[in-house]
Structure formats: C-alpha cells, structure tokens
C-alpha cells in the first residue's frame, strides 16, 4: 500500500492505469487507443553499483499491437536540477532495454514545480544539441478540481487523483468536503487521499470527514439512505465545522503560533463553514492568532 504523499502521486496510476487515457490529453498527449497497460519493473540499475529507480513504469500496448510504448511516471515535489540528469538517463536506458519509444510523465502538486518540470531538457554543447527531452506534466493547471457530483460518482479514481494534485491548494478543505461523500464508502481510495495529504491539518480534517461518510449507515444505496442523510444533516454540518476548527488550531500549533484561550474558544464555537474556511487560509500565513479575525 502507498506509504507517503510522494508515492500516492504515481502509484494511483498503478491502481487504475486507465487514468492515463483520462488525464494525459490535458498534458498535451493524444493518448492512443490501447489494448492493455502493463506495469513493468522500476529498477533501472546497471551492473555497476549505482542505483537508479524510476517511480513507476508502464508498457502501453496499443490497439494496432505494434509493440506500443513505455510510460515512465515520476512524482516531483519541488524543482531539482539533478532530476534532469536522472530523467534523461531513465529514457535512454529503458529505450535501450525494451526497444520501445519512451514517454516521461511528471506529476506535481504545485504550479511552480509543474512549470519547472515542463521545461525541455537540452543535452549537448552550446553549438550542438545531442538530445532533448520534452516531459509531459500533470499538475494544478492541467488537472481540474472535479466538483460535479455525477462525474465524481462515475469516475472515483479521477476524483481521487484530482484531490491529490490539488493537495496544496488554499481551498483544499472545500475540495475535501466535495470529495468525502463520494470517496468515503471506498476505503482503499479514502486511504490513498489520507496518505497523499501528508502530515498536518488537512489530513486531520480528512480523517474527521471519514468518520461521517462510511458504508455502514442503514439502507445504503436506497431511499432509506436519503432519509438517513436528512436526519443526520445537522450532525454532519456540526462535524465539518468541528473538523475545520480543529484544522485551524492544528495549523497554528504546527507553525508555533501561540493560541490564547479566547481565540481557541472563538474558533471552536464557530459554526459558519465559509468563515472557518477563511480562517483556515489565514492560519497558513498569520504571525499571531488574533490576525485570524482581522476585519471582523
């Protein structure tokens, strides 16, 4: 199972390879009709004691069955010039090993890293280019937040990947609110989001949401479900408010911002989800807890 936010960004494709066909056109690749997508060994180490390992590697067999192509997936959390050397090596090595055309896909959670990763990699001297690599990138600019309920229900893997890509979005709590009712009844996907959020207030808030959306409530999938939801609507709203309030206080604690008793009481007593969302956004940048309430 995935064990870190880094892992979730590429291993989600291992769990649902069809996501490539869903999202790669947004990265500028016209994904061909395919007959299968096969996970390959990610170890690219040579006989020499120098370990090189791509995050995920797939063989895509196309409908015309001419061998298909290779898809190397890298999860990138920040700009790292050393990665240019690694990525170039990966592509050259897997091309030599499998004799199939390779494609590099980089998945990112922030716009700065995504923009950096999309830059072509030029190998050669100032007077001649011997090799040039053009990475495909999926990040916050190319992967939209999925908010349509029908689309969320129809394609849960895409919904989960969308949440992972936007895990650093200032409006993350609202994104989690939208995804929770759909993803909650699917524990494996819910766990992927939990791991992908990393340590911090957003993960705490997601865990709080998951106590509200479970597959065990009476009449799941029937008219009874609707009645159950109406009866428990007030409780869910209260639970969301408490979760957001706790996330705000947790964010201040992580940033070593002192929280007085009056501030804690005011935050925990608030039931306005929109206002709590504003306070959460501010909790990431304020220098004192009282600044949460500026202008109010």
């Amino acid at each position: 199972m995935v064990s870190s936010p880094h892992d979730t960004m590429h291993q989600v494709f291992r769990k649902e390879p069809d996501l490539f066909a869903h999202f790669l056109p947004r990265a500028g690749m016209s994904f061909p009709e395919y007959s299968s997508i096969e996970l390959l060994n990610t170890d690219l180490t040579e006989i020499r004691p120098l370990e090189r390992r791509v995050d995920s590697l797939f063989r895509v067999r196309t409908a015309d069955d001419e061998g298909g192509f290779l898809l190397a997936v890298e999860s990138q959390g920040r700009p790292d010039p050393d990665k240019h050397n690694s990525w170039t090596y990966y592509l050259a090595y897997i091309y030599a090993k499998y004799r199939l055309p390779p494609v590099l896909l980089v998945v990112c959670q922030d716009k700065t890293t995504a923009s950096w990763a999309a830059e072509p990699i030029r190998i050669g001297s100032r007077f001649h280019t011997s090799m040039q690599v053009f990475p495909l990138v999926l990040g916050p600019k190319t992967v939209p937040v999925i908010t349509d309920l029908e689309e969320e229900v129809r394609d849960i893997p895409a919904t989960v990947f969308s949440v992972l890509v936007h895990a650093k979005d200032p409006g993350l709590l609202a994104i989690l609110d939208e995804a929770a009712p759909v993803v909650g009844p699917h524990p494996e996907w819910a766990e992927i989001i939990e791991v992908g959020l990393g340590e911090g207030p957003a993960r705490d808030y997601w865990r709080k949401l998951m106590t509200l959306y479970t597959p065990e409530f009476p009449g799941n999938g029937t008219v009874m479900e609707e009645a159950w939801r109406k009866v428990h609507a007030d409780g869910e709203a209260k639970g969301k408010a408490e979760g957001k309030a706790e996330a705000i206080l947790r964010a201040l604690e992580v940033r070593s911002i002192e929280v007085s008793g009056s501030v804690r009481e005011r935050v925990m007593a608030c039931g306005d989800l929109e206002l709590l969302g504003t306070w959460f956004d501010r909790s990431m940048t304020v220098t004192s807890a009282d600044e949460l309430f500026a202008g109010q």
Side-chain angles (χ1 to χ4, degrees):
M1 190 57 195
V2 291
S3 59
S4 70
H6 174 95
D7 288 342
T8 61
M9 289 297 289
H10 66 92
Q11 291 203 20
V12 67
F13 292 99
R14 298 188 183 192
K15 182 173 175 61
E16 191 66 30
D18 288 346
L19 283 173
F20 290 127
H22 185 113
F23 285 110
L24 274 176
R26 293 183 175 274
M29 175 181 175
S30 181
F31 202 83
E33 184 180 351
Y34 60 95
S35 57
S36 68
I37 302 178
E38 172 190 356
L39 181 65
L40 299 178
N41 191 333
T42 60
D43 191 346
L44 307 182
T45 306
E46 299 180 79
I47 296 176
R48 292 175 299 168
L50 177 63
E51 182 176 333
R52 298 180 186 268
R53 205 174 285 272
V54 67
D55 285 338
S56 285
L57 182 62
F58 299 85
R59 177 174 181 173
V60 181
R61 297 183 183 275
T62 54
D64 56 20
D65 202 28
E66 291 185 359
F69 62 95
L70 302 174
L71 193 54
V73 183
E74 281 280 283
S75 173
Q76 193 65 25
R78 59 180 176 81
D80 180 2
D82 288 340
K83 275 294 184 178
H84 286 174
N85 293 333
S86 298
W87 292 345
T88 303
Y89 172 88
Y90 295 161
L91 295 179
Y93 180 84
I94 61 179
Y95 178 69
K97 179 177 180 178
Y98 293 101
R99 297 295 179 182
L100 291 172
V103 175
L104 172 64
L105 172 65
V106 184
V107 288
C108 309
Q109 291 180 314
D110 68 271
K111 295 177 181 178
T112 299
T113 303
S115 296
W116 166 83
E119 297 174 359
I121 304 168
R122 178 182 173 275
I123 306 297
S125 65
R126 62 180 179 80
F127 57 82
H128 178 71
T129 299
S130 300
M131 181 188 302
Q132 197 156 5
V133 176
F134 297 90
L136 297 174
V137 177
L138 288 175
K141 286 186 177 180
T142 49
V143 176
V145 177
I146 299 178
T147 57
D148 180 77
L149 181 59
E150 289 187 9
E151 184 178 358
E152 288 179 325
V153 173
R154 183 173 62 251
D155 198 340
I156 291 174
T159 299
V160 171
F161 183 64
S162 174
V163 171
L164 295 177
V165 170
H166 293 275
K168 296 183 179 180
D169 191 297
L172 176 60
L173 295 192
I175 296 173
L176 297 179
D177 284 340
E178 290 284 345
V182 176
V183 179
H186 303 274
E188 289 187 8
W189 289 112
E191 183 180 356
I192 286 175
I193 288 181
E194 178 180 329
V195 175
L197 292 174
E199 294 290 343
R203 176 182 285 186
D204 295 340
Y205 184 61
W206 178 252
R207 287 173 174 167
K208 187 81 172 180
L209 287 176
M210 289 303 95
T211 66
L212 304 175
Y213 299 105
T214 65
E216 284 79 26
F217 56 81
N220 188 25
T222 68
V223 175
M224 290 179 63
E225 174 185 343
E226 183 63 26
W228 188 93
R229 288 196 181 279
K230 288 181 179 179
V231 170
H232 290 78
D234 290 342
E236 289 183 2
K238 182 179 179 181
K240 286 183 180 180
E242 289 178 353
K244 283 192 176 182
E246 291 172 359
I248 292 166
L249 297 175
R250 171 65 173 157
L252 294 174
E253 177 186 345
V254 169
R255 298 185 58 236
S256 300
I257 303 294
E258 184 177 352
V259 178
S260 65
S262 60
V263 168
R264 182 179 299 275
E265 182 178 348
R266 182 173 177 181
V267 171
M268 291 303 300
C270 183
D272 186 330
L273 294 177
E274 184 175 350
L275 181 57
L276 286 167
T278 299
W279 290 352
F280 179 80
D281 293 343
R282 292 178 179 178
S283 71
M284 302 298 182
T285 57
V286 296
T287 57
S288 71
D290 289 331
E291 292 178 23
L292 291 175
F293 317 124
Q296 297 166 5

